[in-house]
Amino acid sequence: MLLRLDADRPKFVPAGMVALDELAAHHGPFASRASARTHLVELARENALCLKTLGLERGAKKALVAASAPAPCFAYQLRRCLGACIGDEDASAHAQRLAALLEPIRIPPWPFDGPLALVERRGDGLHEDLHVFDRWCWLGSVRTADAAQALAQSDAPRRFEADVYRIVRSTLDSGRLEVLSLDAVPVAA
C-alpha cells in the first residue's frame, strides 16, 4: 500500500496499481491500508495535524453543529490539533506540514539511467547470480552478464512490489553487492 497526496489529503493506493513513472509521487510502502493509516495517525499526534482535515476522522453529525461554524476535530478539543478543521490553521500551511512529514518516506526516483544487475557472489567466488532490476522491479536472476542484458531488454513484466523495493533499496544503500549497469553491457553476438 502506498500513499499519494491528492488535493492536500492522503489517498491510499495499492502499490501494484501505480504506474512506474508515477512512483516518485507516492510515499511508503506500507504492509496494509491499516498500517498506512496508523502511520498517518501517529504523524498527526506527534505533529498536531488534524485528522479531520486528513480525512481520517468523521465530522460531527449535522444536527449537532451550528450551520455557520465547522465542528472541530476531537484532537482540537484536547489541544492536540492546530485547528485546520475550523480555520485556525491555514489549509495550505497544514498541507505543507503534512508533505514535509511524509517526505522521508517518499519513493525516490529510480537512481539509474536504466536497468541494473546486483551481483551476488558466493564466499568461495566460484558461483555468482545476477539479480536484474528496473525501476524498483525485479525482472529475474541469471548467471551471466549477457543473460542479464537480454533479460533487461526483454518484455518481462515490470510491476512494483513493496517487499522487492525494500530489499533493493536497503541493498543499494548498504553497498553490499556490486552494481552492474546493464546499459553499458554489450550483448554477445
Side-chain angles (χ1 to χ4, degrees):
M1 184 63 59
L2 300 175
L3 291 174
R4 180 186 76 238
L5 291 180
D6 186 18
D8 299 330
R9 291 178 80 168
K11 298 291 182 194
F12 303 98
V13 182
M17 302 301 291
V18 176
L20 297 179
D21 295 338
E22 296 175 9
L23 279 172
H26 292 76
H27 304 82
F30 300 93
S32 65
R33 181 184 176 100
S35 64
R37 187 183 194 290
T38 298
H39 181 76
L40 288 169
V41 169
E42 288 172 3
L43 281 179
R45 285 189 182 134
E46 293 169 3
N47 298 281
L49 291 172
C50 179
L51 291 175
K52 189 174 175 185
T53 302
L54 295 176
L56 300 175
E57 179 182 308
R58 292 185 184 167
K61 294 187 179 183
K62 291 180 183 177
L64 301 176
V65 178
S68 62
C73 68
F74 184 69
Y76 182 80
Q77 297 173 48
L78 299 175
R79 302 188 198 295
R80 294 182 185 161
C81 164
L82 297 181
C85 49
I86 60 169
D88 282 1
E89 179 183 24
D90 182 63
S92 64
H94 185 271
Q96 288 173 352
R97 290 192 311 122
L98 173 62
L101 291 166
L102 288 174
E103 190 60 32
I105 60 166
R106 177 184 293 276
I107 305 288
W110 180 241
F112 302 93
D113 291 333
L116 64 83
L118 294 175
V119 183
E120 183 177 25
R121 289 188 179 88
R122 199 167 67 185
D124 59 12
L126 298 176
H127 177 83
E128 72 179 19
D129 288 315
L130 285 82
H131 307 287
V132 181
F133 297 91
D134 185 19
R135 295 176 289 166
W136 305 116
C137 302
W138 179 68
L139 303 181
S141 296
V142 294
R143 298 285 174 108
T144 67
D146 287 339
Q149 182 67 31
L151 182 58
Q153 292 176 351
S154 74
D155 290 334
R158 285 154 170 80
R159 185 172 178 261
F160 181 83
E161 294 181 31
D163 292 335
V164 170
Y165 165 76
R166 285 186 195 101
I167 292 167
V168 174
R169 178 114 190 243
S170 83
T171 301
L172 290 172
D173 288 348
S174 74
R176 290 185 308 240
L177 298 180
E178 176 187 346
V179 176
L180 176 65
S181 172
L182 295 177
D183 287 342
V185 179
V187 177

